[in-house]
Amino acid sequence: KYAEENNYTIYDIYIDNGISAATIKKRKALLKLIDDSDNFDILLFTQLDRFSRNVLDANNLVQIFNQKNVMIKAIDEDDIDTSTADGKFIFDLKVSLAERERKKVSEREKAANAYKLTQKKALYGNAGRGFKLDENKHWILSEEAPMIYDMFRLYIDTGNRVTICKEINKKYGIQFTPGDISHYLQQERYTGRYKGIDDYFPRIVPEDMWIQTCKMRKERRIRKDITYTYIFIFC
């Protein structure tokens, strides 16, 4: 609507759904916008915090767009104008405030999560394989817990992820890869412990199995780091 009212021709619309404006590195649409910026002469967004919430990134973006003669305009904020000293000051100030708010929100979320941990309340909606979430508590998922237990048992017996994949896939009909097996074997939550809190999850794997698995995985990594010199003798 703003473009129509001001007789702007829209080149493209760039949307990074669900991605924080804290950094540009993960914002694929914004990176594409930068690549396309030779094709338009004004960049429109609703508010400055939709553009960036990182002071360094915001100023780097301004420099990039200035070099390409691209104007920056916040539709809902009339005082965003980086072409003047005062406008640049207001721009930096607002980005700084947006960055501060982002960090304050992060601090509040961390504090809330830390409190939930002490109360053994669930932090997220996805409890992970082997568990289910009900009424803000974690429960063992009976159809998956035996499979998790078998992974640890098989690793202690064989120490071979490929063998574990074959056995688990055959028994449970799930196509795991060796990488999947490694992922589950390093999840301390299966002992009930999570982020230093005991009994946060119901236990699937006994403590001694967890300790033995960690020891074997550590020894395996050490062996992989050892380099050998092979001497070939030709007669």
Side-chain angles (χ1 to χ4, degrees):
K1 182 179 178 181
Y2 182 89
E4 290 176 357
E5 291 175 351
N6 290 272
N7 295 319
Y8 291 143
T9 300
I10 297 176
Y11 174 78
D12 206 345
I13 299 173
Y14 302 84
I15 303 174
D16 281 313
N17 280 325
I19 300 176
S20 171
T23 177
I24 67 173
K25 293 180 181 179
K26 296 182 180 180
R27 299 173 65 186
K28 294 182 179 180
L30 179 57
L31 294 174
K32 185 178 185 301
L33 182 151
I34 294 171
D35 289 339
D36 292 348
S37 58
D38 289 327
N39 300 308
F40 52 81
D41 50 22
I42 185 169
L43 170 61
L44 295 175
F45 44 87
T46 51
Q47 295 176 327
L48 189 57
D49 61 1
R50 301 300 86 199
F51 176 64
S52 179
R53 292 188 179 185
N54 181 294
V55 175
L56 181 60
D57 282 348
N59 281 282
N60 286 338
L61 287 170
V62 168
Q63 185 175 4
I64 290 171
F65 293 128
N66 282 345
Q67 290 173 350
K68 298 187 177 185
N69 295 318
V70 174
M71 296 172 56
I72 295 173
K73 171 66 178 175
I75 295 172
D76 297 334
E77 299 178 61
D78 293 334
D79 53 359
I80 299 301
D81 180 3
T82 59
S83 64
T84 66
D86 286 345
K88 184 65 168 56
F89 172 78
I90 296 297
F91 173 86
D92 289 343
L93 179 61
K94 287 194 171 184
V95 172
S96 296
L97 290 173
E99 182 175 9
R100 175 183 177 275
E101 179 59 23
R102 173 179 59 83
K103 291 180 178 179
K104 294 293 289 184
V105 169
S106 178
E107 288 175 358
R108 290 192 290 268
E109 288 177 349
K110 288 179 180 178
N113 288 340
Y115 176 76
K116 284 184 178 180
L117 280 172
T118 62
Q119 301 301 305
K120 299 181 181 179
K121 294 182 179 180
L123 297 182
Y124 312 108
N126 183 10
R129 189 177 292 275
F131 302 106
K132 63 180 179 179
L133 188 63
D134 186 28
E135 295 183 353
N136 210 29
K137 290 185 64 177
H138 297 108
W139 306 85
I140 286 179
L141 194 59
S142 58
E143 58 266 35
E144 291 185 350
M147 178 179 65
I148 297 297
Y149 180 90
D150 281 347
M151 287 183 189
F152 283 84
R153 177 183 59 80
L154 287 167
Y155 188 78
I156 291 173
D157 291 344
T158 69
N160 190 302
R161 295 176 304 158
V162 175
T163 300
I164 298 172
C165 280
K166 291 179 180 178
E167 293 290 334
I168 294 295
N169 293 347
K170 180 180 179 181
K171 184 175 180 178
Y172 295 97
I174 299 178
Q175 296 303 309
F176 284 136
T177 67
D180 294 328
I181 301 300
S182 291
H183 170 73
Y184 294 119
L185 291 178
Q186 64 185 357
Q187 299 298 315
E188 193 178 17
R189 69 183 63 190
Y190 294 125
T191 68
R193 189 181 304 110
Y194 183 69
K195 294 190 175 182
I197 304 295
D198 291 330
D199 301 321
Y200 182 77
F201 284 92
R203 180 175 294 186
I204 293 177
V205 176
E207 186 74 16
D208 58 342
M209 288 184 69
W210 166 258
I211 293 173
Q212 179 66 15
T213 300
C214 290
K215 181 180 178 182
M216 291 177 63
R217 294 181 70 244
K218 183 178 180 180
E219 290 174 348
R220 185 179 182 88
R221 286 195 298 270
I222 292 173
R223 287 198 301 269
K224 286 177 66 176
D225 291 338
I226 297 175
T227 57
Y228 297 93
T229 301
Y230 296 93
I231 301 175
F232 297 91
I233 302 175
F234 298 91
C235 301

